[in-house]
Amino acid sequence: MRVALIGQPNCGKSTLFNQVAGYKAETGNFSGTTVTFTESKVRVGGQIVEVVDLPGTYALEGTNPAERESALYLGSKHVDVIVNVLDATHLAQGLELSLELLSLKKPLVIAMNMMDEATRLGLHIDGLALSAAMGVPVLPLVASKGRGVKNLFLATLEAVRQPPDTKKRLEIGCDSLGRHAQALELMERFTRRGESRVSLRDRLDDVLLHSVWGYLILLLVLLAFFEAVYGIGQLTEPPLLVLFDAITRWVVSNTGGRAFLGQLVLGVMQGISAGVAIVLPYLLPFLFGLGILEDVGYLPRVAFLMDALMHRMGLHGKAIVPFILGYGCNVPAVMATRTLEDQRERYLAAALATLVPCAARLAVVFGLVAFYLGPLAAFGLYVFNLFVIALTGRILTGLMPEDTPGLILEMPTYRIPTFRNVLGKAWFRVREFVVEAWPVLIAGSAVLAILNFFNAETFFNWSLRPLTWALGLPSQVGVPLIFGILRKELSLVMLGQALGTVDFASVLTTTQMLTYTVFVMFYIPCLATLSVLRRELGTRAMLAITALTVVVALVAALVVRGVAVFFL
Amino acid sequence: MKLLEVQPGEQVKVTGFEGGKGLQAKLTQHGIYPGDCLRLLRKAPLGGPLLVEVNQRELALGRGVAARIIVEVIPCESL
């Protein structure tokens, strides 16, 4: 049996899905987090049920690729019952989709989500009367806290067991204007507005969206976020490095020292310790913090504040979502461009999103620049990165001009994130690193050890020599740069191996560290990003974006080198 | 009058849209129909978007979009 969860953006479908399936779908307090469907098998009342989480859609005839996916799924696959998730605080809006779903003549259950928020707003919804009027079951739900989930699924099973009498359902309007009026009328009839206890949101927005304070706070929030990630990483990295160094020395001395086996083991150990000691100390706090920012609902405010700037880059504020996701990982960032309607805008947003330094590149920035040159230098690099992205966007817009239709974005209410969800989300993303990236890191490190042993790396270094020469870098960084295309962390991990020490300050000058890091920030997306670019936008777009990143990386690194040589 | 010309705090009624079918479809999907009441909450600086309240929801609308929404100043009882 297959249950499809459908609803408008940011009504909590994925939160409900994660409640029953464990954390498997990305969530966040803004529209467009889910762009493809996720399936999972779940046990409900002794029965195995397949639950599908669909991207949020305002109407069945959606206009962006993510929305079309939902309609396509409902139309093509065998769906036994539809669970329509509604945001109780935005009932009229949500009911428009429900009315459309009524006409599908399939078993339908309405889940009235965020009932706790509705109560706080002073909304009283008569679910029973609404259910009677519409001819389908209506159940209350607080997905974020897991309240009402069990009853919802029992009702869903019941709806399949007793196929609905679709004749008893509400007659619905035939066009969208008719449904709009009908939905408003239904809401008026079945909700009572009591004393509202809000205005906290208005007061918060007065400050957070203020034309001066808003930007100042945005800067402070980002700076605090940055300092926190750096502080926690700084606290945990050195002791872990010392520990792993000791273990590595012990293991290597017991496996034959400088012989082939010993060198191979050394490579493997360096890969393992890089994961634990260099990447995780920064990745964990970063993902945790990003999760909190996402769930609070601050990101759409950032979109509001930044829309004017984004316009100058040829995008509108909505494209900020792929951008911010990009700081976690470029792969979901490229996928999130599906929420953009215009194909040209998708190309542009995807190209620029791949220039956003993801968490893997964060490891390079923090492990190299922040560690040796201080957190302010690292922050400076991030600001420089933004500037380069803006400039690139500006130039690309000049090359492919077109009038962008402009921003239409829903501002969600602020929510206090639940610890469970933030933790689940951070774990979901860390697991991706542990399962997918770490093995590649270890293997890459081992391969490099073998190359080192047979002196084969000189060939790679020699072939990249024109590049490394232009950037004023030692020729040994050629191999880390090539392997960095597999996984960006490798450009840091293998740098230690290539240079023969992890005390980078003893072999690299400040200028070299900055130049290297800036080049790594921009050049060729990693393998996973390349494959998602190809899947989403085609081979030609992938190649064009790759070429673009190389040019941008080269120019940016040369500029940094020039400036650093001049001032340092 | 256009929504773009409305001052923050004012309430207006949507009377129609200018521009193509695509924009109109997008606006209605986000719950803005002719006849709906809007309240302009604030404008972002430097040509940034407008924040409006419609049917108890808040939407950010870019200036390009706001320039194509035709409104009239009518006291609305539904807000």
Side-chain angles (χ1 to χ4, degrees):
Chain A
M1 189 174 90
R2 190 178 270 126
V3 180
L5 302 181
I6 190 165
Q8 297 192 327
N10 205 26
C11 69
K13 294 169 299 296
S14 296
T15 309
L16 172 64
F17 179 79
N18 289 340
Q19 279 287 352
V20 294
Y23 202 105
K24 282 186 185 152
E26 289 269 5
T27 58
N29 185 10
F30 46 85
S31 38
T33 336
T34 309
V35 286
T36 177
F37 56 84
T38 319
E39 288 181 308
S40 182
K41 286 192 170 60
V42 178
R43 279 189 83 87
V44 183
Q47 199 178 338
I48 302 285
V49 177
E50 208 158 322
V51 182
V52 192
D53 180 30
L54 294 172
T57 176
Y58 284 105
L60 282 186
E61 60 254 22
T63 51
N64 75 41
E67 290 174 349
R68 273 196 293 276
E69 186 134 5
S70 289
L72 228 61
Y73 190 96
L74 282 186
S76 70
K77 292 240 184 168
H78 187 69
V79 175
D80 296 286
V81 53
I82 301 169
V83 173
N84 174 209
V85 184
L86 285 189
D87 175 352
T89 61
H90 296 147
L91 196 56
Q93 168 80 3
L95 280 172
E96 286 181 37
L97 177 66
S98 309
L99 290 172
E100 250 185 305
L101 291 171
L102 274 181
S103 65
L104 289 181
K105 315 261 181 244
K106 278 202 173 167
L108 177 70
V109 176
I110 291 181
M112 198 68 78
N113 195 16
M114 307 189 193
M115 286 303 284
D116 53 341
E117 250 174 59
T119 312
R120 230 176 300 135
L121 286 167
L123 283 174
H124 299 280
I125 300 166
D126 190 348
L128 283 178
L130 183 63
S131 168
M134 292 182 71
V136 293
V138 176
L139 284 109
L141 180 70
V142 183
S144 62
K145 303 198 173 96
R147 271 187 249 146
V149 176
K150 195 170 169 214
N151 281 337
L152 172 65
F153 275 88
L154 290 178
T156 307
L157 289 185
E158 192 57 35
V160 182
R161 224 169 285 139
Q162 293 190 332
D165 187 356
T166 47
K167 287 196 198 74
K168 279 197 191 138
R169 284 184 179 177
L170 190 67
E171 282 294 320
I172 60 155
C174 51
D175 63 344
S176 65
L177 188 60
R179 287 193 294 267
H180 178 64
Q182 206 170 4
L184 278 176
E185 195 254 332
L186 279 174
M187 187 203 68
E188 293 289 324
R189 215 161 85 204
F190 298 115
T191 56
R192 248 175 335 106
R193 294 195 140 259
E195 193 61 29
S196 157
R197 269 177 282 157
V198 271
S199 81
L200 173 70
R201 166 198 181 144
D202 289 330
R203 249 175 291 146
L204 258 179
D205 274 348
D206 276 344
V207 182
L208 294 181
L209 297 182
H210 190 269
S211 42
V212 179
W213 303 125
Y215 291 94
L216 212 62
I217 290 172
L218 174 61
L219 194 70
L220 283 179
V221 166
L222 293 181
L223 207 61
F225 183 35
F226 216 74
E227 285 285 339
V229 171
Y230 173 74
I232 296 172
Q234 189 73 331
L235 223 59
T236 43
E237 184 184 339
L240 283 171
L241 269 180
V242 169
L243 177 73
F244 268 91
D245 254 13
I247 298 176
T248 306
R249 252 189 314 242
W250 181 81
V251 173
V252 171
S253 67
N254 280 302
T255 45
R258 297 218 60 79
F260 178 72
L261 185 64
Q263 288 302 301
L264 187 63
V265 170
L266 179 69
V268 171
M269 284 304 294
Q270 274 172 338
I272 295 174
S273 85
V276 179
I278 301 178
V279 180
L280 282 183
Y282 297 109
L283 194 63
L284 267 176
F286 173 78
L287 293 178
F288 198 77
L290 187 66
I292 292 176
L293 280 185
E294 283 178 356
D295 284 6
V296 164
Y298 186 55
L299 298 188
R301 269 83 191 176
V302 178
F304 180 81
L305 290 171
M306 300 303 281
D307 186 57
L309 179 74
M310 300 289 281
H311 250 292
R312 290 183 174 79
M313 292 159 53
L315 291 167
H316 60 65
K318 209 169 159 186
I320 200 95
V321 174
F323 265 59
I324 288 170
L325 289 176
Y327 281 98
C329 176
N330 285 176
V331 173
V334 171
M335 287 174 72
T337 59
R338 283 189 202 170
T339 57
L340 304 172
E341 279 80 13
D342 184 37
Q343 193 66 11
R344 170 195 155 277
E345 203 171 359
R346 277 196 78 188
Y347 282 129
L348 194 55
L352 296 181
T354 55
L355 297 176
V356 173
C358 61
R361 281 173 273 180
L362 169 107
V364 183
V365 175
F366 275 83
L368 204 58
V369 173
F371 192 79
Y372 291 104
L373 308 175
L376 268 182
F379 188 72
L381 279 190
Y382 272 82
V383 173
F384 175 69
N385 172 275
L386 268 180
F387 170 77
V388 171
I389 291 175
L391 195 66
T392 311
R394 194 77 218 239
I395 294 169
L396 286 181
T397 313
L399 293 178
M400 34 189 217
E402 203 180 314
D403 181 34
T404 45
L407 178 76
I408 304 179
L409 180 69
E410 177 133 20
M411 287 282 140
T413 35
Y414 290 105
R415 302 203 168 99
I416 298 169
T418 61
F419 185 70
R420 195 191 141 142
N421 195 47
V422 173
L423 201 68
K425 177 157 40 182
W427 168 238
F428 175 73
R429 291 168 174 174
V430 165
R431 197 177 50 192
E432 219 169 54
F433 167 76
V434 172
V435 176
E436 285 167 27
W438 209 0
V440 181
L441 265 176
I442 297 169
S445 189
V447 168
L448 184 65
I450 296 170
L451 287 180
N452 255 326
F453 189 77
F454 293 110
N455 286 325
E457 84 282 3
T458 35
F459 168 72
F460 292 109
N461 287 335
W462 173 77
S463 59
L464 277 195
R465 190 58 198 146
L467 175 76
T468 47
W469 174 80
L471 297 177
L473 296 170
S475 65
Q476 295 99 301
V477 304
V479 169
L481 284 180
I482 291 175
F483 277 79
I485 298 170
L486 290 178
R487 292 286 316 178
K488 292 291 167 184
E489 296 96 335
L490 282 175
S491 4
L492 178 67
V493 176
M494 300 182 75
L495 188 64
Q497 266 177 321
L499 297 173
T501 173
V502 280
D503 180 20
F504 296 118
S506 67
V507 282
L508 293 176
T509 64
T510 305
T511 307
Q512 285 177 323
M513 281 191 208
L514 285 173
T515 316
Y516 182 76
T517 309
V518 166
F519 190 77
V520 169
M521 248 184 177
F522 293 111
Y523 88 110
I524 310 184
C526 74
L527 210 58
T529 309
L530 285 174
S531 75
V532 77
L533 278 173
R534 209 185 118 208
R535 206 175 62 221
E536 296 285 322
L537 303 170
T539 310
R540 269 186 56 195
M542 179 196 78
L543 291 176
I545 290 174
T546 306
L548 172 80
T549 61
V550 173
V551 173
V552 171
L554 206 57
V555 172
L558 283 174
V559 167
V560 166
R561 186 188 174 201
V563 172
V565 165
F566 192 75
F567 284 103
L568 295 172
Chain B
M1 145 181 216
K2 286 166 180 149
L3 178 61
L4 195 56
E5 298 154 27
V6 174
Q7 292 308 308
E10 280 185 341
Q11 292 186 7
V12 292
K13 188 175 200 160
V14 178
T15 54
F17 305 123
E18 261 175 20
K21 272 226 164 77
L23 180 76
Q24 195 164 334
K26 279 200 64 181
L27 283 170
T28 53
Q29 268 181 26
H30 282 83
I32 299 183
Y33 287 82
D36 281 346
C37 287
L38 298 178
R39 187 155 63 101
L40 184 64
L41 297 174
R42 65 184 80 241
K43 286 180 176 178
L46 306 168
L50 284 68
L51 192 65
V52 299
E53 186 184 330
V54 53
N55 298 324
Q56 287 98 45
R57 289 158 51 255
E58 286 183 16
L59 283 176
L61 300 174
R63 302 229 168 182
V65 177
R68 295 186 197 159
I69 300 178
I70 316 294
V71 296
E72 53 184 306
V73 184
I74 288 182
C76 293
E77 72 287 352
S78 75
L79 268 171

